[in-house]
Amino acid sequence: VTALKKKKEVSSTLERSKRRKGEKDLAKVRRKKIVEGDHMLTLKQAAQEMEALISRLEREREERLHAQVPTGPSAFSTLKGQLMAPCRGKVIESFGNHVDPITKLTSFSPGISIGTKSGTKVMAVAAGSVAYVGNLRGYGNFIILNHDGRFYTTYSGLGKMTVTNGQYVRGGDRIGTASTDGVIKFELRDKREPVDPIEWIRFDSF
């Protein structure tokens, strides 16, 4: 009888321990889901603000075109697969939809994230003019370059920025440096539409 009671007590203790662990794991997932949800909301709002900026630049471009003679196809479009990477590093987030393995929440990345070192040189991937220099929650310090009045590249997660609005830059020119976390977010847009930068960048330039 004593042995059976002891065995039952041990079993009850293990069951309680298992239940407590399950509750802790569930609480952890719930907390992560809340944090991840807030993070996704911030990024979504930032992406909408970036979209608004690009749309404004597009409207201004279209207004200018009405007053000018068409200049023909964009030279930038011929650079697909030949662009240099904006910085040395490793792609840590790809373009497109992502599903968190724990929370199962889906998010969309309109560009790629490159892991590098703090202070790493960030370069213009091709010649263009600086269309915007600013700061945005979720993006940090960022720069938009206008290429041929049709394509735009955006560089965010910058620490130091070394260009100003309206400035012309060549491919390879330094436009800033990576911030302390060493993550550069890079986007490429054809007018308002985000496209996958990996299809445009030379892999050996990372």
Side-chain angles (χ1 to χ4, degrees):
V1 174
T2 303
L4 287 173
K5 287 177 67 177
K6 189 172 183 180
K7 184 176 181 181
K8 188 175 181 181
E9 289 173 357
V10 170
S11 178
S12 297
T13 301
L14 288 173
E15 187 62 32
R16 285 196 300 272
S17 177
K18 185 177 180 181
R19 188 166 57 250
R20 283 197 298 268
K21 185 178 185 302
E23 290 171 351
K24 286 181 180 178
D25 289 344
L26 183 58
K28 185 178 180 181
V29 170
R30 285 173 176 164
R31 286 195 300 272
K32 179 174 173 55
K33 195 167 185 177
I34 291 171
V35 171
E36 188 68 20
D38 288 343
H39 179 63
M40 285 171 57
L41 180 60
T42 297
L43 290 181
K44 184 178 180 180
Q45 291 171 340
Q48 289 171 343
E49 291 185 47
M50 182 67 80
E51 176 71 22
L53 278 171
I54 296 292
S55 295
R56 193 196 78 193
L57 293 172
E58 265 296 287
R59 285 194 301 271
E60 292 172 354
R61 180 190 71 85
E62 289 166 358
E63 288 169 1
R64 287 194 300 270
L65 279 178
H66 286 306
Q68 296 175 0
V69 176
T71 56
S74 166
F76 186 90
S77 62
T78 66
L79 299 177
K80 190 171 184 177
Q82 301 177 45
L83 295 180
M84 65 181 69
C87 64
R88 290 285 184 180
K90 180 180 179 181
V91 177
I92 57 176
E93 183 178 59
S94 59
F95 173 90
N97 289 316
H98 299 272
V99 179
D100 188 279
I102 296 176
T103 64
K104 306 304 179 184
L105 294 173
T106 301
S107 61
F108 176 76
S109 173
I112 59 174
S113 293
I114 304 170
T116 186
K117 295 179 181 179
S118 174
T120 295
K121 174 184 175 182
V122 178
M123 303 166 287
V125 298
S129 60
V130 179
Y132 196 87
V133 176
N135 183 282
L136 197 61
R137 186 183 177 195
Y139 278 81
N141 290 334
F142 73 98
I143 293 168
I144 301 176
L145 296 185
N146 182 343
H147 306 276
D148 287 355
R150 171 182 162 185
F151 289 90
Y152 300 90
T153 52
T154 71
Y155 312 73
S156 57
L158 301 172
K160 185 179 180 182
M161 298 186 286
T162 57
V163 292
T164 56
N165 282 322
Q167 182 177 338
Y168 177 80
V169 294
R170 297 167 299 178
D173 283 355
R174 186 175 78 164
I175 59 174
T177 58
S179 63
T180 53
D181 69 357
V183 177
I184 296 297
K185 294 179 182 178
F186 175 75
E187 297 178 20
L188 171 58
R189 293 178 184 251
D190 183 349
K191 296 183 179 177
R192 297 177 177 85
E193 188 69 25
V195 296
D196 189 352
I198 292 299
E199 297 178 357
W200 289 72
I201 297 174
R202 296 196 329 264
F203 285 100
D204 61 355
S205 65
F206 282 109

Coordinates of all heavy atoms in Angstrom, one line a residue, residues 29-112:
V29 N 4.4 31.3 -25.8 CA 3.9 31.4 -27.2 C 3.0 32.6 -27.3 O 3.1 33.4 -28.3 CB 3.2 30.1 -27.7 CG1 2.5 30.4 -29.0 CG2 4.2 29.0 -27.8
R30 N 2.1 32.8 -26.3 CA 1.2 33.9 -26.3 C 1.9 35.2 -26.3 O 1.5 36.2 -27.0 CB 0.2 33.8 -25.2 CG -0.9 32.7 -25.4 CD -1.7 32.5 -24.1 NE -2.8 31.5 -24.3 CZ -3.4 30.9 -23.4 NH1 -3.2 31.2 -22.1 NH2 -4.4 30.1 -23.6
R31 N 2.9 35.3 -25.4 CA 3.7 36.6 -25.3 C 4.4 36.8 -26.6 O 4.4 38.0 -27.1 CB 4.7 36.5 -24.2 CG 4.1 36.6 -22.8 CD 5.2 36.9 -21.7 NE 6.2 35.8 -21.7 CZ 6.1 34.7 -20.9 NH1 5.0 34.6 -20.1 NH2 7.0 33.8 -20.9
K32 N 5.0 35.8 -27.2 CA 5.7 36.0 -28.5 C 4.7 36.4 -29.6 O 5.1 37.2 -30.4 CB 6.4 34.7 -28.9 CG 7.2 34.7 -30.2 CD 7.9 33.5 -30.5 CE 8.6 33.5 -31.9 NZ 9.4 34.7 -32.2
K33 N 3.5 35.8 -29.5 CA 2.5 36.2 -30.6 C 2.1 37.7 -30.5 O 2.0 38.4 -31.5 CB 1.3 35.3 -30.4 CG 0.4 35.3 -31.6 CD -0.6 34.2 -31.6 CE -1.5 34.2 -32.8 NZ -2.4 33.1 -32.8
I34 N 2.0 38.1 -29.2 CA 1.7 39.5 -29.0 C 2.8 40.5 -29.5 O 2.6 41.4 -30.2 CB 1.4 39.8 -27.5 CG1 0.1 39.1 -27.1 CG2 1.3 41.3 -27.2 CD1 -0.2 39.1 -25.6
V35 N 4.0 40.1 -29.1 CA 5.2 40.9 -29.5 C 5.4 40.9 -31.0 O 5.6 41.9 -31.7 CB 6.5 40.4 -28.8 CG1 7.7 41.0 -29.4 CG2 6.4 40.6 -27.3
E36 N 5.2 39.6 -31.6 CA 5.4 39.5 -33.0 C 4.3 40.3 -33.8 O 4.5 40.9 -34.8 CB 5.3 38.0 -33.4 CG 5.7 37.7 -34.9 CD 7.1 38.0 -35.2 OE1 7.9 38.0 -34.3 OE2 7.4 38.1 -36.4
G37 N 3.0 40.2 -33.2 CA 1.9 40.9 -33.8 C 2.2 42.4 -33.8 O 1.9 43.1 -34.8
D38 N 2.7 43.0 -32.7 CA 3.0 44.4 -32.6 C 4.1 44.8 -33.6 O 4.0 45.8 -34.2 CB 3.5 44.8 -31.2 CG 2.3 44.7 -30.2 OD1 1.1 44.7 -30.6 OD2 2.6 44.7 -29.0
H39 N 5.1 43.9 -33.7 CA 6.2 44.1 -34.6 C 5.7 44.2 -36.1 O 6.1 45.0 -36.8 CB 7.3 43.1 -34.4 CG 8.4 43.2 -35.4 ND1 9.3 44.3 -35.3 CD2 8.9 42.4 -36.4 CE1 10.2 44.1 -36.3 NE2 10.0 43.0 -36.9
M40 N 4.9 43.2 -36.4 CA 4.3 43.1 -37.8 C 3.5 44.3 -38.1 O 3.5 44.9 -39.2 CB 3.5 41.8 -37.9 CG 4.3 40.6 -38.0 SD 3.3 39.1 -38.0 CE 2.2 39.4 -39.3
L41 N 2.7 44.8 -37.1 CA 1.9 46.0 -37.3 C 2.7 47.2 -37.5 O 2.4 48.0 -38.4 CB 1.0 46.2 -36.0 CG 0.0 47.4 -36.1 CD1 -0.9 47.3 -37.3 CD2 -0.7 47.6 -34.8
T42 N 3.8 47.3 -36.8 CA 4.7 48.4 -37.0 C 5.3 48.4 -38.4 O 5.4 49.4 -39.1 CB 5.9 48.4 -35.9 OG1 5.3 48.6 -34.6 CG2 6.9 49.5 -36.2
L43 N 5.8 47.2 -38.8 CA 6.4 47.1 -40.1 C 5.3 47.3 -41.2 O 5.7 48.0 -42.2 CB 7.0 45.7 -40.3 CG 8.2 45.4 -39.5 CD1 8.7 44.0 -39.8 CD2 9.3 46.4 -39.8
K44 N 4.1 46.9 -41.0 CA 3.0 47.1 -42.0 C 2.8 48.6 -42.1 O 2.6 49.1 -43.2 CB 1.8 46.4 -41.5 CG 0.6 46.5 -42.6 CD -0.6 45.7 -42.1 CE -1.7 45.8 -43.1 NZ -2.9 45.1 -42.7
Q45 N 2.7 49.3 -41.0 CA 2.5 50.8 -41.0 C 3.6 51.5 -41.7 O 3.4 52.4 -42.5 CB 2.3 51.3 -39.6 CG 1.0 50.8 -39.0 CD 0.9 51.2 -37.5 OE1 1.9 51.4 -36.8 NE2 -0.4 51.2 -37.0
A46 N 4.9 51.0 -41.4 CA 6.0 51.6 -42.0 C 6.0 51.4 -43.5 O 6.4 52.3 -44.3 CB 7.3 51.1 -41.4
A47 N 5.7 50.2 -43.9 CA 5.6 49.8 -45.3 C 4.6 50.7 -46.0 O 4.8 51.1 -47.2 CB 5.3 48.4 -45.5
Q48 N 3.5 51.0 -45.4 CA 2.4 51.8 -46.0 C 2.9 53.2 -46.1 O 2.6 53.9 -47.1 CB 1.2 51.8 -45.1 CG 0.4 50.5 -45.1 CD -0.7 50.4 -44.1 OE1 -0.7 51.1 -43.2 NE2 -1.6 49.4 -44.3
E49 N 3.7 53.7 -45.1 CA 4.2 55.1 -45.2 C 5.3 55.1 -46.3 O 5.4 56.1 -47.1 CB 4.9 55.5 -43.9 CG 3.8 55.7 -42.8 CD 4.4 56.2 -41.5 OE1 5.3 57.1 -41.6 OE2 4.1 55.7 -40.4
M50 N 6.1 54.1 -46.5 CA 7.1 54.0 -47.5 C 6.4 54.0 -48.9 O 6.8 54.7 -49.8 CB 8.0 52.8 -47.4 CG 9.0 52.7 -48.5 SD 10.3 54.0 -48.4 CE 11.3 53.3 -47.0
E51 N 5.3 53.2 -49.0 CA 4.5 53.2 -50.2 C 3.9 54.5 -50.5 O 3.9 54.9 -51.7 CB 3.3 52.2 -50.0 CG 2.3 52.1 -51.1 CD 2.9 51.4 -52.4 OE1 3.9 50.6 -52.2 OE2 2.4 51.7 -53.5
A52 N 3.5 55.3 -49.5 CA 2.9 56.6 -49.7 C 4.0 57.5 -50.3 O 3.8 58.4 -51.2 CB 2.4 57.2 -48.4
L53 N 5.2 57.4 -49.8 CA 6.4 58.2 -50.2 C 6.6 57.9 -51.7 O 6.8 58.8 -52.5 CB 7.6 57.9 -49.4 CG 7.7 58.7 -48.1 CD1 8.9 58.1 -47.3 CD2 7.9 60.2 -48.3
I54 N 6.7 56.6 -52.0 CA 7.0 56.2 -53.4 C 5.9 56.7 -54.3 O 6.1 57.2 -55.4 CB 7.1 54.7 -53.5 CG1 8.3 54.2 -52.7 CG2 7.3 54.2 -55.0 CD1 9.7 54.6 -53.2
S55 N 4.6 56.6 -53.9 CA 3.5 57.0 -54.7 C 3.6 58.5 -54.9 O 3.3 59.0 -56.1 CB 2.2 56.7 -54.0 OG 2.0 55.3 -53.9
R56 N 4.0 59.3 -53.9 CA 4.2 60.7 -54.1 C 5.2 61.0 -55.1 O 5.1 61.9 -56.0 CB 4.5 61.4 -52.8 CG 4.4 62.9 -52.8 CD 5.1 63.5 -51.6 NE 6.5 63.6 -51.8 CZ 7.4 63.8 -50.9 NH1 7.0 64.1 -49.6 NH2 8.7 63.9 -51.1
L57 N 6.4 60.3 -55.0 CA 7.4 60.5 -56.0 C 7.0 60.2 -57.4 O 7.4 60.8 -58.4 CB 8.7 59.7 -55.6 CG 9.4 60.1 -54.3 CD1 10.4 59.0 -53.9 CD2 10.0 61.4 -54.4
E58 N 6.2 59.1 -57.5 CA 5.6 58.7 -58.8 C 4.7 59.8 -59.4 O 4.8 60.1 -60.6 CB 4.9 57.4 -58.7 CG 5.7 56.2 -59.0 CD 6.2 56.2 -60.4 OE1 5.3 55.9 -61.3 OE2 7.3 56.4 -60.7
R59 N 3.9 60.3 -58.5 CA 3.0 61.4 -59.0 C 3.8 62.6 -59.5 O 3.4 63.2 -60.6 CB 2.0 61.8 -57.9 CG 0.9 60.8 -57.6 CD -0.2 61.5 -56.8 NE 0.3 62.0 -55.5 CZ 0.4 61.3 -54.4 NH1 0.0 60.0 -54.4 NH2 0.9 61.8 -53.3
E60 N 4.8 63.0 -58.8 CA 5.6 64.1 -59.2 C 6.3 63.8 -60.5 O 6.5 64.6 -61.4 CB 6.7 64.4 -58.1 CG 6.1 64.9 -56.8 CD 7.1 65.1 -55.7 OE1 8.2 64.6 -55.9 OE2 6.7 65.6 -54.6
R61 N 6.8 62.5 -60.7 CA 7.4 62.1 -61.9 C 6.4 62.2 -63.1 O 6.8 62.7 -64.2 CB 7.9 60.6 -61.8 CG 8.6 60.1 -63.0 CD 8.9 58.6 -62.9 NE 7.6 57.9 -63.0 CZ 7.1 57.5 -64.2 NH1 7.7 57.8 -65.3 NH2 6.0 56.8 -64.2
E62 N 5.2 61.7 -62.9 CA 4.2 61.7 -63.9 C 3.8 63.1 -64.3 O 3.6 63.4 -65.5 CB 3.0 60.9 -63.5 CG 3.2 59.4 -63.4 CD 2.1 58.7 -62.6 OE1 1.2 59.4 -62.1 OE2 2.2 57.4 -62.6
E63 N 3.8 64.0 -63.3 CA 3.5 65.4 -63.6 C 4.6 66.0 -64.5 O 4.3 66.8 -65.4 CB 3.3 66.2 -62.3 CG 2.0 65.9 -61.6 CD 2.0 66.4 -60.2 OE1 3.0 67.1 -59.8 OE2 1.0 66.2 -59.4
R64 N 5.9 65.7 -64.2 CA 7.0 66.2 -64.9 C 6.9 65.7 -66.4 O 7.3 66.4 -67.3 CB 8.3 65.8 -64.3 CG 8.6 66.6 -63.0 CD 10.1 66.5 -62.6 NE 10.4 65.1 -62.4 CZ 10.3 64.5 -61.2 NH1 9.9 65.2 -60.1 NH2 10.7 63.2 -61.0
L65 N 6.5 64.4 -66.5 CA 6.5 63.8 -67.9 C 5.5 64.5 -68.8 O 5.7 64.6 -70.0 CB 6.1 62.3 -67.7 CG 7.3 61.3 -67.4 CD1 6.7 59.9 -67.3 CD2 8.4 61.4 -68.4
H66 N 4.4 65.0 -68.2 CA 3.4 65.7 -69.0 C 4.0 66.9 -69.6 O 3.5 67.4 -70.7 CB 2.2 66.0 -68.2 CG 1.3 64.8 -67.8 ND1 0.8 64.0 -68.8 CD2 0.9 64.4 -66.6 CE1 0.1 63.0 -68.2 NE2 0.2 63.2 -66.9
A67 N 5.0 67.5 -69.0 CA 5.6 68.7 -69.5 C 6.9 68.5 -70.3 O 7.5 69.4 -70.7 CB 5.9 69.6 -68.3
Q68 N 7.2 67.2 -70.5 CA 8.4 66.8 -71.2 C 8.2 65.9 -72.4 O 7.1 65.2 -72.5 CB 9.4 66.2 -70.3 CG 9.9 67.1 -69.1 CD 10.8 66.4 -68.2 OE1 11.0 65.2 -68.3 NE2 11.3 67.1 -67.2
V69 N 9.1 65.8 -73.3 CA 9.1 64.8 -74.4 C 9.5 63.5 -73.8 O 10.5 63.4 -73.1 CB 10.0 65.2 -75.5 CG1 10.0 64.2 -76.6 CG2 9.6 66.6 -76.1
P70 N 8.8 62.4 -74.1 CA 9.2 61.1 -73.6 C 10.7 60.8 -73.9 O 11.2 61.0 -75.0 CB 8.3 60.1 -74.2 CG 7.1 60.9 -74.5 CD 7.6 62.3 -74.8
T71 N 11.4 60.2 -73.0 CA 12.8 59.9 -73.1 C 13.1 58.5 -73.5 O 14.3 58.1 -73.6 CB 13.6 60.2 -71.8 OG1 13.0 59.4 -70.8 CG2 13.5 61.7 -71.5
G72 N 12.1 57.6 -73.7 CA 12.4 56.2 -74.1 C 12.5 55.3 -72.9 O 12.2 55.7 -71.8
P73 N 12.8 54.0 -73.2 CA 12.8 53.0 -72.1 C 13.9 53.3 -71.1 O 14.9 54.0 -71.4 CB 13.1 51.7 -72.9 CG 13.8 52.2 -74.1 CD 13.2 53.5 -74.5
S74 N 13.7 52.8 -69.9 CA 14.7 53.0 -68.8 C 16.0 52.2 -69.0 O 15.9 51.0 -69.3 CB 14.0 52.6 -67.4 OG 15.0 52.5 -66.4
A75 N 17.1 52.9 -68.8 CA 18.4 52.1 -68.9 C 18.6 51.2 -67.7 O 19.2 50.2 -67.9 CB 19.5 53.1 -69.0
F76 N 18.0 51.6 -66.6 CA 18.1 50.7 -65.4 C 17.5 49.3 -65.6 O 18.0 48.4 -65.1 CB 17.3 51.4 -64.3 CG 17.5 50.8 -62.9 CD1 18.6 51.1 -62.1 CD2 16.7 49.8 -62.5 CE1 18.7 50.5 -60.8 CE2 16.8 49.1 -61.3 CZ 17.9 49.5 -60.4
S77 N 16.5 49.2 -66.5 CA 15.8 47.9 -66.7 C 16.8 46.9 -67.3 O 16.6 45.7 -67.3 CB 14.6 48.1 -67.5 OG 14.9 48.6 -68.8
T78 N 17.8 47.4 -68.0 CA 18.8 46.5 -68.7 C 19.8 46.0 -67.7 O 20.6 45.1 -68.0 CB 19.6 47.3 -69.8 OG1 20.4 48.3 -69.2 CG2 18.6 47.9 -70.7
L79 N 19.8 46.4 -66.4 CA 20.8 46.0 -65.4 C 20.3 44.8 -64.6 O 21.0 44.4 -63.6 CB 21.1 47.2 -64.5 CG 21.7 48.4 -65.1 CD1 21.8 49.5 -64.1 CD2 23.0 48.1 -65.8
K80 N 19.2 44.2 -64.9 CA 18.7 43.1 -64.2 C 19.7 41.9 -64.1 O 20.2 41.5 -65.2 CB 17.4 42.6 -64.7 CG 16.7 41.5 -63.9 CD 15.3 41.2 -64.4 CE 14.5 40.3 -63.5 NZ 13.2 40.0 -63.9
G81 N 20.0 41.5 -62.9 CA 21.0 40.5 -62.7 C 22.5 41.0 -62.7 O 23.4 40.2 -62.5
Q82 N 22.6 42.3 -62.8 CA 24.0 42.9 -62.8 C 24.3 43.9 -61.7 O 25.4 44.4 -61.6 CB 24.2 43.5 -64.2 CG 24.1 42.6 -65.4 CD 24.3 43.4 -66.7 OE1 25.2 44.2 -66.9 NE2 23.4 43.1 -67.7
L83 N 23.2 44.2 -60.9 CA 23.4 45.2 -59.9 C 24.4 44.7 -58.8 O 24.4 43.5 -58.5 CB 22.1 45.6 -59.2 CG 21.0 46.3 -60.1 CD1 19.8 46.5 -59.3 CD2 21.6 47.6 -60.7
M84 N 25.2 45.6 -58.2 CA 26.0 45.3 -57.1 C 25.1 45.3 -55.9 O 24.1 45.9 -55.8 CB 27.1 46.2 -56.9 CG 26.7 47.7 -56.6 SD 28.1 48.8 -56.4 CE 28.7 48.8 -58.1
A85 N 25.5 44.5 -54.8 CA 24.7 44.5 -53.6 C 24.9 45.9 -52.9 O 26.0 46.5 -53.1 CB 25.2 43.4 -52.7
P86 N 24.0 46.3 -52.1 CA 24.1 47.6 -51.4 C 25.2 47.6 -50.3 O 25.7 48.7 -49.9 CB 22.8 47.9 -50.8 CG 22.1 46.6 -50.7 CD 22.6 45.8 -51.9
C87 N 25.6 46.4 -49.9 CA 26.6 46.3 -48.9 C 27.1 44.8 -48.8 O 26.4 43.9 -49.3 CB 26.2 46.7 -47.5 SG 24.9 45.7 -46.8
R88 N 28.3 44.6 -48.3 CA 28.8 43.3 -48.0 C 28.0 42.7 -46.9 O 27.8 43.3 -45.9 CB 30.3 43.3 -47.7 CG 31.2 43.7 -48.9 CD 31.3 42.6 -49.9 NE 32.2 42.9 -51.0 CZ 32.5 42.1 -51.9 NH1 31.9 40.9 -52.0 NH2 33.3 42.4 -52.9
G89 N 27.7 41.4 -47.0 CA 27.0 40.7 -45.9 C 26.2 39.5 -46.4 O 26.5 39.0 -47.5
K90 N 25.3 39.1 -45.6 CA 24.5 37.9 -45.9 C 23.0 38.2 -45.8 O 22.6 38.9 -45.0 CB 24.8 36.8 -44.8 CG 24.1 35.5 -45.0 CD 24.5 34.5 -44.0 CE 23.7 33.1 -44.1 NZ 24.1 32.2 -43.1
V91 N 22.3 37.7 -46.8 CA 20.8 37.9 -46.8 C 20.2 37.0 -45.7 O 20.3 35.8 -45.7 CB 20.2 37.5 -48.2 CG1 18.7 37.6 -48.2 CG2 20.8 38.3 -49.3
I92 N 19.6 37.7 -44.8 CA 19.0 37.1 -43.6 C 17.4 37.1 -43.7 O 16.8 36.4 -42.9 CB 19.4 37.7 -42.3 CG1 19.1 39.2 -42.2 CG2 20.9 37.5 -42.1 CD1 19.5 39.9 -40.9
E93 N 16.9 37.8 -44.6 CA 15.4 37.7 -44.8 C 15.2 38.0 -46.3 O 15.7 38.9 -46.9 CB 14.7 38.8 -44.0 CG 13.2 38.7 -44.2 CD 12.4 39.7 -43.3 OE1 12.6 40.9 -43.5 OE2 11.6 39.3 -42.5
S94 N 14.4 37.1 -46.9 CA 14.2 37.2 -48.3 C 12.9 38.0 -48.6 O 12.2 38.4 -47.7 CB 14.0 35.8 -48.9 OG 13.0 35.1 -48.3
F95 N 12.7 38.2 -49.9 CA 11.5 39.0 -50.4 C 10.3 38.0 -50.3 O 10.4 36.8 -50.5 CB 11.8 39.4 -51.8 CG 10.6 40.0 -52.5 CD1 10.4 41.4 -52.4 CD2 9.7 39.2 -53.3 CE1 9.3 42.0 -53.1 CE2 8.7 39.8 -53.9 CZ 8.4 41.2 -53.9
G96 N 9.1 38.6 -50.0 CA 7.9 37.8 -50.1 C 7.3 37.5 -48.8 O 7.6 38.1 -47.7
N97 N 6.4 36.5 -48.8 CA 5.6 36.1 -47.6 C 6.5 35.3 -46.7 O 7.2 34.4 -47.1 CB 4.3 35.4 -48.0 CG 3.3 36.3 -48.6 OD1 3.1 37.4 -48.1 ND2 2.6 35.9 -49.6
H98 N 6.3 35.5 -45.4 CA 7.0 34.7 -44.3 C 6.0 34.2 -43.3 O 5.1 35.0 -42.9 CB 8.1 35.5 -43.7 CG 9.2 35.9 -44.7 ND1 10.2 35.1 -45.0 CD2 9.3 37.0 -45.4 CE1 11.0 35.8 -45.9 NE2 10.4 36.9 -46.2
V99 N 6.1 33.0 -42.8 CA 5.2 32.5 -41.7 C 6.1 32.2 -40.5 O 7.0 31.4 -40.6 CB 4.5 31.2 -42.2 CG1 3.6 30.7 -41.0 CG2 3.6 31.5 -43.4
D100 N 5.8 32.8 -39.4 CA 6.5 32.5 -38.2 C 6.3 31.1 -37.7 O 5.1 30.7 -37.6 CB 6.1 33.5 -37.1 CG 7.0 33.4 -35.8 OD1 6.8 32.5 -35.0 OD2 7.9 34.2 -35.7
P101 N 7.3 30.3 -37.5 CA 7.1 28.9 -37.1 C 6.4 28.7 -35.8 O 5.9 27.6 -35.6 CB 8.6 28.3 -37.1 CG 9.4 29.5 -36.9 CD 8.8 30.7 -37.6
I102 N 6.5 29.6 -34.9 CA 5.8 29.5 -33.6 C 4.4 30.1 -33.6 O 3.5 29.4 -33.2 CB 6.7 30.1 -32.5 CG1 8.1 29.4 -32.4 CG2 6.0 30.1 -31.2 CD1 9.0 29.9 -31.4
T103 N 4.3 31.4 -34.0 CA 3.0 32.0 -33.9 C 2.1 31.8 -35.1 O 0.9 32.0 -35.0 CB 3.2 33.6 -33.8 OG1 3.9 34.0 -35.0 CG2 4.2 33.9 -32.6
K104 N 2.7 31.3 -36.2 CA 2.0 31.0 -37.5 C 1.5 32.3 -38.1 O 0.7 32.2 -39.0 CB 0.9 30.0 -37.2 CG 1.2 28.7 -36.5 CD 2.3 28.0 -37.3 CE 2.7 26.7 -36.5 NZ 3.9 26.0 -37.2
L105 N 1.9 33.4 -37.7 CA 1.5 34.7 -38.3 C 2.3 34.9 -39.6 O 3.4 34.6 -39.7 CB 1.8 35.9 -37.3 CG 1.0 35.9 -36.0 CD1 1.5 37.0 -35.1 CD2 -0.5 36.1 -36.3
T106 N 1.5 35.4 -40.6 CA 2.1 35.6 -41.9 C 2.4 37.1 -42.1 O 1.6 38.0 -41.8 CB 1.2 35.2 -43.0 OG1 0.9 33.8 -42.9 CG2 1.8 35.4 -44.4
S107 N 3.6 37.4 -42.6 CA 4.0 38.8 -42.9 C 4.6 38.9 -44.3 O 5.1 37.8 -44.8 CB 5.0 39.3 -41.9 OG 6.2 38.5 -41.9
F108 N 4.6 40.0 -44.9 CA 5.1 40.2 -46.2 C 6.3 41.2 -46.2 O 6.3 42.3 -45.6 CB 4.1 40.8 -47.2 CG 4.6 41.1 -48.6 CD1 4.9 40.1 -49.5 CD2 4.9 42.4 -48.9 CE1 5.4 40.4 -50.7 CE2 5.4 42.7 -50.2 CZ 5.7 41.7 -51.1
S109 N 7.5 40.7 -46.7 CA 8.6 41.6 -46.8 C 8.8 42.1 -48.2 O 8.9 41.4 -49.2 CB 9.9 40.8 -46.5 OG 11.1 41.6 -46.7
P110 N 8.7 43.5 -48.4 CA 8.8 44.1 -49.7 C 10.2 44.2 -50.3 O 10.4 44.8 -51.3 CB 8.1 45.5 -49.5 CG 8.5 45.8 -48.1 CD 8.4 44.5 -47.4
G111 N 11.1 43.7 -49.5 CA 12.5 43.7 -49.9 C 13.3 42.6 -49.2 O 12.8 41.6 -48.8
I112 N 14.6 42.8 -49.1 CA 15.5 41.8 -48.4 C 16.2 42.5 -47.2 O 16.3 43.7 -47.2 CB 16.5 41.2 -49.4 CG1 17.4 42.3 -50.0 CG2 15.9 40.4 -50.5 CD1 18.6 41.8 -50.8

